[in-house]
């Protein structure tokens, strides 16, 4: 199915929200079922590097029920009843989240992806991966699956600035991301990117410039959130030795509003805020929930008469 064919609908929000996008596409509430398929990462196992990205601690975003100790099928069957009760969801997208979910032979990927799609309530997949872990054969598999299902590939980018990618030990450059996007676009597969705002290597304008840059790539979906310093990471060690500024809550709200104004109105926002567990979060500590943040952002954008794409210039 063609993921970009959904027209922009009127919404209470002043930006294109993923939940509304899915509801417009499937005409019922849709939720993600997180699964851990047991993948690792080439930035951890020595293929690219060891140690991983300096900010990475999967426990900062992975639900406790998401564990590779159970099969993909078992995780899906366990997750769906909860999402039905909690959110009233009627359809489901299986989210392959932890680590790099295209980092395996194609035969293995096909088995895992089809296992996830086998449940009658599942309408698609969201696959988190790195741009250096796809090739023509893997994209061809996803293209085949997309003929009957919603397929979204979320490429971890974190920054378009190579100096930042070097600082965070990312293991690839921005050109690698551009090549992966070009390989994926136009094949019925949703193309997503993931950014983190707040690295000490970047100015506020550097961060806002990423909205302009990504707006002119064939990207349909975007996740962004504030940099969080969490325990058990190289970034936490660096912060402990030489603390660097992190965002204040109001400053981050203003930055997101400015970012959205410069972002293409066609891009769907999947995430704007992150909340690591309190027991591992070091900075910044805001004591805000995702719902509170989104409500505050709605109020700010309304007060500013702001909306996604307000400052976007096509063709530049």
């Amino acid at each position: 199915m063609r993921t970009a064919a959904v027209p922009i609908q009127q919404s209470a929000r002043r930006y294109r929200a993923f939940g509304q996008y899915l509801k417009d596409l499937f005409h019922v509430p849709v939720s993600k079922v997180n699964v851990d398929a047991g993948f690792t990462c080439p930035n951890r196992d020595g293929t690219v590097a060891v140690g991983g990205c300096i900010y990475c601690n999967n426990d900062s975003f992975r639900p406790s029920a998401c564990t590779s100790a159970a099969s993909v099928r078992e995780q899906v069957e366990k997750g769906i009843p909860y999402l039905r009760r909690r959110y009233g969801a009627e359809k489901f997208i299986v989210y392959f989240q932890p680590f790099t979910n295209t980092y395996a032979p194609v035969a293995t990927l096909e088995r895992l992806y089809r296992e996830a799609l086998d449940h009658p309530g599942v309408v698609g997949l969201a696959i988190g991966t790195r741009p250096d872990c796809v090739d023509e054969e893997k994209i061809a598999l996803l293209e085949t699956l997309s003929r009957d299902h919603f397929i979204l590939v979320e490429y971890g980018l974190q920054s378009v600035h190579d100096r930042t990618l070097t600082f965070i030990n990312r293991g690839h450059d921005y050109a690698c991301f551009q090549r992966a996007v070009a390989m994926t676009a136009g094949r019925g597969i949703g193309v997503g990117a993931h950014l983190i705002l707040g690295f000490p290597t970047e100015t506020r304008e550097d961060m806002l410039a990423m909205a302009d840059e990504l707006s002119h790539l064939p990207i349909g979906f975007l996740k962004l959130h504030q940099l969080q310093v969490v325990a058990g990471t190289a970034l936490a060690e660096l912060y402990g030795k030489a603390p660097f500024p992190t965002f204040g809550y109001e400053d981050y709200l203003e930055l997101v509003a400015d970012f959205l104004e410069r972002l293409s109105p066609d891009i769907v926002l999947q995430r704007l805020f992150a909340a690591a567990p309190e027991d591992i979060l070091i900075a910044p500590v805001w004591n805000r929930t995702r719902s509170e943040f989104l409500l505050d952002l709605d109020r700010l954008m309304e007060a500013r008469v702001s909306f996604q794409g307000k400052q976007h210039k096509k063709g530049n």
Side-chain angles (χ1 to χ4, degrees):
M1 61 189 299
R2 295 286 163 174
T3 58
V6 179
I8 298 175
Q9 302 289 331
Q10 293 296 321
S11 170
R13 301 206 183 278
R14 292 173 173 259
Y15 54 87
R16 293 199 76 187
F18 189 55
Q20 185 63 50
Y21 172 88
L22 291 176
K23 191 170 184 179
D24 293 338
L25 183 63
F26 293 105
H27 310 295
V28 295
V30 181
S31 287
K32 280 185 177 179
V33 184
N34 295 60
V35 299
D36 183 343
F39 291 101
T40 182
C41 175
N43 204 21
R44 288 178 173 268
D45 69 8
T47 302
V48 172
V50 294
C53 301
I54 65 171
Y55 56 81
C56 184
N57 178 340
N58 269 263
D59 291 336
S60 68
F61 58 80
R62 173 171 46 188
S64 58
C66 180
T67 170
S68 60
S71 70
V72 167
R73 178 174 285 104
E74 288 169 336
Q75 292 177 65
V76 171
E77 291 176 349
K78 182 178 180 180
I80 281 179
Y82 169 78
L83 294 169
R84 287 190 195 278
R85 293 192 305 270
R86 180 71 175 81
Y87 300 107
E90 298 181 36
K91 298 292 183 181
F92 305 90
I93 291 172
V94 177
Y95 182 21
F96 287 82
Q97 181 182 28
F99 298 114
T100 305
N101 294 274
T102 59
Y103 189 42
V106 169
T108 300
L109 298 178
E110 181 167 13
R111 175 178 59 80
L112 291 169
Y113 297 162
R114 291 194 181 279
E115 183 178 339
L117 290 168
D118 189 52
H119 191 285
V122 171
V123 293
L125 306 176
I127 301 166
T129 191
R130 291 168 54 93
D132 57 356
C133 288
V134 294
D135 54 34
E136 178 57 36
E137 191 178 7
K138 293 174 182 177
I139 296 302
L141 167 63
L142 298 178
E143 182 177 20
T144 297
L145 296 176
S146 75
R147 293 170 188 162
D148 299 306
H149 304 90
F150 175 88
I151 304 295
L152 169 59
V153 179
E154 300 177 0
Y155 287 120
L157 172 59
Q158 319 320 341
S159 176
V160 307
H161 304 294
D162 283 343
R163 66 181 180 278
T164 297
L165 297 178
T166 298
F167 169 73
I168 66 177
N169 192 42
R170 184 66 190 166
H172 65 74
D173 58 12
Y174 178 48
C176 177
F177 171 82
Q178 292 173 299
R179 290 191 296 270
V181 168
M183 186 188 308
T184 313
R187 302 176 69 165
I189 304 165
V191 183
H194 180 199
L195 292 180
I196 297 175
L197 303 180
F199 289 117
T201 50
E202 297 174 1
T203 66
R204 191 177 194 277
E205 182 53 38
D206 288 334
M207 298 174 209
L208 292 174
M210 293 195 285
D212 303 326
E213 175 65 20
L214 295 185
S215 290
H216 298 104
L217 294 179
I219 291 171
F221 303 86
L222 179 62
K223 286 182 175 179
L224 60 95
H225 61 78
Q226 78 280 17
L227 177 66
Q228 296 186 110
V229 181
V230 297
T233 65
L235 187 65
E237 293 183 17
L238 178 64
Y239 185 82
K241 295 175 182 176
F244 50 82
T246 58
F247 279 117
Y249 182 70
E250 298 296 335
D251 290 338
Y252 182 68
L253 275 172
E254 291 281 353
L255 177 69
V256 171
D258 289 344
F259 190 101
L260 292 177
E261 286 195 3
R262 290 170 64 160
L263 189 69
S264 166
D266 297 326
I267 295 177
V268 178
L269 278 303
Q270 295 178 264
R271 181 189 296 169
L272 296 170
F273 174 81
E278 293 181 5
D279 59 337
I280 62 173
L281 178 62
I282 297 172
V285 178
W286 293 340
N287 296 315
R288 297 295 204 287
T289 65
R290 174 183 177 274
S291 296
E292 289 171 334
F293 174 83
L294 294 179
L295 180 58
D296 288 341
L297 180 63
D298 288 342
R299 290 169 174 165
L300 174 63
M301 295 185 75
E302 182 176 3
R304 290 174 31 156
V305 195
S306 182
F307 54 87
Q308 182 180 341
K310 182 178 182 179
Q311 302 296 334
H312 173 62
K313 298 178 181 178
K314 293 185 177 180
N316 291 343

